[in-house]
Amino acid sequence: MKRIVILASGSGTNAENIIKYFQNSKIARVTHVLSNNEHAKVFDRCERLNIDASLFDKESFIKDDTVLTFLQIEADIVILAGFLWRIPSKIVQEFPNKIINIHPALLPKYGGKGMYGMNVHQAVKQNNETETGITVHYVNENYDEGAIIFQAKTNLLPSDSAHDIATKIHLLEQEHFPKVIQQEILKNA
């Protein structure tokens, strides 16, 4: 049974979806959620779903080895579900091809520092894109530059607002992210 630890910074809809997807799985389960945001709604979701969740700060993530040590003990795979900090190289090196992120665009377009959430959807709208999508990728030391595992596309209409785009992306995330995680776990079993 593989142990999944999720890192999340926000509302936790993807985290909740992953937790529920693996609740009755025979291959993996979410054992813990870590967040860098004390106000993140993911804590409420974890409490409701009876999943351990912990808050950490920049010092324990970047400067000392608190988060790294926790992951070494508790995680076989690390999932970023709306997590906004760059992963330190010491953690990336400890978990090669075992840290997976989802990005709300078709990388390499609309990736990099500051390109998350509505920032991405507004940029997609401003550039009059006719399609967008999600990218599931391995995490390396740079924002959104790890090897791509999976992409799914959706068509856009000229009338779509940034909020409409966000809704379409959210549907893709909910449909595909847990399945891609499962495929990666099975591939590396």
Side-chain angles (χ1 to χ4, degrees):
M1 178 75 71
K2 296 293 183 186
R3 299 161 303 156
I4 300 169
V5 173
I6 297 174
L7 301 185
S9 296
S11 71
T13 55
N14 275 322
E16 179 173 351
N17 189 37
I18 294 163
I19 290 165
K20 287 180 174 178
Y21 185 88
F22 286 102
Q23 266 179 337
N24 298 311
S25 170
K26 299 202 182 335
I27 65 157
R29 73 182 193 291
V30 175
T31 58
H32 212 97
V33 173
L34 300 177
S35 181
N36 60 329
N37 177 2
E38 66 181 312
H39 304 293
K41 298 221 180 327
V42 74
F43 287 114
D44 298 332
R45 293 176 191 276
C46 288
E47 186 174 336
R48 194 176 70 250
L49 296 166
N50 201 26
I51 295 290
D52 290 333
S54 302
L55 178 68
F56 66 91
D57 61 15
K58 214 165 210 141
E59 173 111 357
S60 62
F61 190 57
I62 295 170
K63 293 193 174 142
D64 66 39
D65 289 339
T66 306
V67 173
L68 173 60
T69 302
F70 179 86
L71 293 173
Q72 288 169 324
I73 295 167
E74 298 293 332
D76 297 305
I77 187 166
V78 178
I79 303 300
L80 308 187
F83 185 72
L84 301 182
W85 289 353
R86 191 173 61 79
I87 305 300
S89 58
K90 62 186 176 186
I91 294 177
V92 171
Q93 290 165 10
E94 185 67 27
F95 291 91
N97 293 334
K98 291 184 178 160
I99 306 174
I100 297 174
N101 184 39
I102 191 163
H103 186 75
L106 297 170
L107 291 174
K109 284 183 161 185
Y110 306 106
K113 186 171 179 152
M115 292 306 286
Y116 60 87
M118 287 306 290
N119 296 348
V120 172
H121 308 315
Q122 288 166 346
V124 167
K125 174 66 179 168
Q126 284 176 336
N127 287 319
N128 299 310
E129 296 285 356
T130 58
E131 68 178 12
T132 189
I134 60 169
T135 302
V136 180
H137 65 94
Y138 295 119
V139 172
N140 66 14
E141 287 86 352
N142 301 310
Y143 284 111
D144 303 323
E145 291 182 12
I148 292 171
I149 300 168
F150 173 85
Q151 290 185 312
K153 296 179 182 179
T154 186
N155 291 323
L156 299 177
L157 302 171
S159 59
D160 283 340
S161 68
H163 288 285
D164 295 331
I165 295 168
T167 299
K168 289 180 176 187
I169 292 302
H170 185 70
L171 291 172
L172 288 177
E173 290 172 339
Q174 295 289 295
E175 178 184 354
H176 294 290
F177 199 19
K179 293 176 192 169
V180 173
I181 294 166
Q182 179 172 288
Q183 288 170 356
E184 284 301 298
I185 290 169
L186 290 171
K187 185 174 89 178
N188 296 313

